[in-house]
Amino acid sequence: MSDAFTVLWTHEVCRALRRAGRVGERPPVAFSGVHSSLPAWSGAQAGDEVYALHVNRREVFVVSRLRVIDRERRGCCGTAPAAWEDPAYPGHDDWSMLGAEGCGADPVHVDATPVRFDTPISADLLARLAWRNRRGQTRNLKYVVDGRLENSVSLQGFYRLTPESAAELADVTAGAVSSR
């Protein structure tokens, strides 16, 4: 059975996506890292889904749903760098804002929904969203006040959703994709 995760895309990442004209396009790759500057997609395997979230003015949006294909460097990634100043993934320059230059970046090839910034998570769902750790303990979002997120710190990172929350986010993204 596949798992589902969330990852927070920062304002910087989302601004870069907009500037590069990537809204409406499907990312073929994202990047996992070994440093806190780039979330490690640890635990994600082929077939798992990752919901890229963005917080704007205390409202949480699903930017894209990414289904993991593999976590290998392939021909599409371009030539591996020979020196530190060489680009890490020249074959994915169009999507480098998703972490190609991050510390210890590794490619995660994905089948994704189009990037968009108009799919909010409802206040009711935001209050119910839950994640579970490897020991099976669950947690909800902190800092949700009147259906709005006051502080995004509990979204920062790469976290496994409970099956119920994963199903609800799948419904949100299915509705967004079918409404286009």
Side-chain angles (χ1 to χ4, degrees):
M1 182 173 166
S2 62
D3 285 321
F5 301 84
T6 59
V7 65
L8 182 66
W9 283 358
T10 64
H11 287 292
E12 181 181 320
V13 167
C14 292
R15 269 193 300 273
L17 286 165
R18 286 184 180 106
R19 268 195 313 268
R22 299 290 165 241
V23 176
E25 295 183 19
R26 297 172 184 267
V29 67
F31 297 90
S32 172
V34 297
H35 186 266
S36 62
S37 64
L38 188 61
W41 290 40
S42 56
Q45 299 176 9
D48 289 346
E49 294 191 339
V50 179
Y51 294 90
L53 306 179
H54 177 61
V55 180
N56 188 10
R57 296 187 178 136
R58 301 181 308 147
E59 192 170 10
V60 182
F61 295 85
V62 179
V63 179
S64 183
R65 182 189 70 226
L66 306 104
R67 184 167 292 123
V68 176
I69 297 172
D70 66 43
R71 298 182 60 183
E72 306 294 323
R73 184 179 191 106
R74 297 193 273 167
C76 62
C77 297
T79 305
W84 68 269
E85 64 269 356
D86 293 343
Y89 297 96
H92 294 300
D93 283 342
D94 290 349
W95 297 95
S96 63
M97 74 285 292
L98 298 181
E101 304 306 323
C103 185
D106 289 319
V108 180
H109 293 96
V110 295
D111 176 24
T113 60
V115 169
R116 52 189 298 172
F117 296 99
D118 61 351
T119 308
I121 295 176
S122 70
D124 291 341
L125 177 53
L126 195 61
R128 286 193 312 272
L129 278 179
W131 292 261
R132 66 178 166 82
N133 65 20
R134 291 183 180 150
R135 292 179 296 237
Q137 299 167 320
T138 61
R139 71 165 178 90
N140 295 87
L141 272 178
K142 295 179 182 178
Y143 311 112
V144 176
V145 177
D146 297 327
R148 298 176 64 83
L149 190 62
E150 297 292 322
N151 187 327
S152 65
V153 71
S154 59
L155 278 179
Q156 295 171 1
F158 189 83
Y159 300 112
R160 185 183 320 268
L161 288 160
T162 63
E164 300 79 17
S165 290
E168 291 194 84
L169 282 180
D171 289 344
V172 169
T173 58
V177 170
S178 65
S179 69
R180 277 203 117 185

